[in-house]
Amino acid sequence: MRARAREAENFDVPGAEVLPINNEIVLPDEPVSPIEPIRHSPLFSLGGIRGAIADSLMATSGFIRERMTGDFAVDDYGFDPHFAETVWFPAIRQLYSKWFRVEVTGIENLPAEGAALLVANHAGTIPIDGLIASVAVRDNHPNQRYLRALAADMVFETPVIGDLARRIGATLACHDDAEALLRQGELTAVWPEGFKGIGKLYKDRYKLQRFGRGGFVTTAIRTQAPIIPVSIVGSEEIYPMIADLKPLARALGLPYFPITPLFPWLGPLGVIPLPAKWHIHFGRPIETSSYDPAAADDPMVVFDLTDHVREEIQQTLFRMLSRRGSVYLG
């Protein structure tokens, strides 16, 4: 596995064009209160795999016992905190801490309470970044807050996955749901690049795609919620997409059909993500309270603020990449 990781780290593909760094963006030199020291993945060992499976099975059995009592609540969007805490988070933490060894900085930029709209770069062929960001917030925030993700229609149209997404706190990426969550004081997250971000080729890694029409800015201004830029390094390398079979994607009704160094050549094994080392940075809040709510309908205001958020994330990504060590063995 280590040999495969070293090979994957040196694809014969040129890197993305790097723009000058904006010196006004502050990025700490050291991580802010990580849960545990950064280390090589113990899942490379048989003992690590056994431990991960045992932890997940214990969490699931505890969930079944407690579920039988009927003492749990589900909100209007289908979010089931009991399921998330006893089944989902224990399982995904294995991937978070032992496979991707996630490092988190800037957690102090998230509000202790009340609403904020987190805006992040999107990558990885499969949108694992949303799941990992949710764990990063839940496990690092002093008040252990939940992150409510806004997901694409396709997620909720997919059997099983749609129901699971609702249970773990996701909802439809539309103005109504986003505005309602923010008015309820939730930490809400959006990935404006959409499929253009997660479906881009490896040669375009860490180059942000267009941020749509700025709908997230409109929602933030209307609710007076601060915007938190989120920069994620590591997601681009878990499934390096070297080609996209567009004709096959169209035939299957998919936004893209990825070809990676391992998929589809290794069959089901090719779906296992490469163990890239992740770093998630939560940037300083961009306040929207100074805007009149009517500014949400001004295209120039929306465009300027959308571009500002995008540039903040892009420049922070470049700065994080300049300090990065090994992609897979860090």
Side-chain angles (χ1 to χ4, degrees):
M1 177 62 79
R2 286 182 181 271
R4 283 168 52 192
R6 291 192 185 96
E7 291 173 4
E9 191 172 343
N10 295 287
F11 298 113
D12 294 327
V13 180
E17 179 183 358
V18 177
L19 302 177
I21 300 298
N22 182 349
N23 291 325
E24 294 182 358
I25 296 175
V26 177
L27 183 65
D29 290 326
E30 299 296 333
V32 178
S33 303
I35 299 176
E36 52 190 354
I38 302 302
R39 60 188 186 280
H40 297 297
S41 174
L43 286 184
F44 284 129
S45 67
L46 182 59
I49 295 174
R50 288 173 176 168
I53 294 174
D55 290 346
S56 297
L57 289 176
M58 289 180 62
T60 302
S61 63
F63 166 76
I64 293 173
R65 288 195 304 271
E66 295 175 18
R67 203 72 170 184
M68 293 177 67
T69 66
D71 187 18
F72 62 92
V74 177
D75 74 5
D76 294 338
Y77 304 95
F79 177 40
D80 185 345
H82 180 239
F83 173 83
E85 288 296 334
T86 56
V87 176
W88 178 251
F89 282 129
I92 204 69
R93 280 188 185 107
Q94 307 301 324
L95 192 66
Y96 173 94
S97 63
K98 297 178 181 179
W99 194 250
F100 296 143
R101 292 99 65 212
V102 181
E103 174 186 348
V104 175
T105 54
I107 197 71
E108 71 279 2
N109 289 320
L110 300 184
E113 57 184 19
L117 182 61
L118 281 65
V119 181
N121 58 301
H122 211 14
T125 305
I126 296 177
I128 293 177
D129 47 8
L131 309 180
I132 299 301
S134 296
V135 181
V137 172
R138 180 64 178 168
D139 287 359
N140 287 275
H141 194 283
N143 295 335
Q144 296 184 307
R145 298 194 65 180
Y146 289 112
L147 185 65
R148 305 299 297 273
L150 301 174
D153 297 13
M154 182 179 288
V155 171
F156 301 104
E157 293 169 357
T158 305
V160 181
I161 292 178
D163 180 63
L164 175 62
R166 291 281 186 188
R167 284 175 175 270
I168 62 177
T171 191
L172 193 63
C174 64
H175 285 295
D176 290 343
D177 284 10
E179 188 170 331
L181 286 172
L182 290 171
R183 292 194 185 282
Q184 292 171 17
E186 299 282 2
L187 289 180
T188 308
V190 63
W191 287 262
E193 293 175 278
F195 291 120
K196 299 187 300 294
I198 57 175
K200 64 179 177 290
L201 298 178
Y202 186 71
K203 67 182 181 65
D204 296 320
R205 59 195 180 277
Y206 300 111
K207 287 176 62 176
L208 294 186
Q209 306 300 297
R210 194 169 71 89
F211 269 22
R213 299 178 181 177
F216 70 92
V217 167
T218 299
T219 301
I221 292 176
R222 284 177 177 163
T223 58
Q224 304 285 279
I227 297 173
I228 309 289
V230 182
S231 304
I232 304 174
V233 165
S235 56
E236 296 276 16
E237 291 86 8
I238 60 174
Y239 297 112
M241 194 163 85
I242 57 179
D244 176 12
L245 294 184
K246 295 184 183 297
L248 183 56
R250 285 194 293 270
L252 297 174
L254 300 173
Y256 52 86
F257 189 90
I259 300 297
T260 77
L262 305 180
F263 180 85
W265 327 114
L266 298 185
L269 290 177
V271 182
I272 299 174
L274 292 172
K277 171 74 172 62
W278 286 44
H279 179 189
I280 300 177
H281 179 70
F282 299 98
R284 289 178 296 183
I286 298 173
E287 295 296 336
T288 62
S289 56
S290 60
Y291 291 92
D292 187 288
D297 298 318
D298 186 331
M300 289 306 299
V301 171
V302 172
F303 175 81
D304 288 345
L305 190 49
T306 300
D307 191 59
H308 174 54
V309 174
R310 183 181 181 279
E311 185 65 12
E312 187 89 5
I313 297 171
Q314 182 70 88
Q315 296 297 330
T316 303
L317 284 172
F318 288 143
R319 174 163 283 188
M320 292 164 71
L321 289 169
S322 71
R323 301 180 180 184
R324 190 186 203 187
S326 171
V327 174
Y328 295 102
L329 304 178

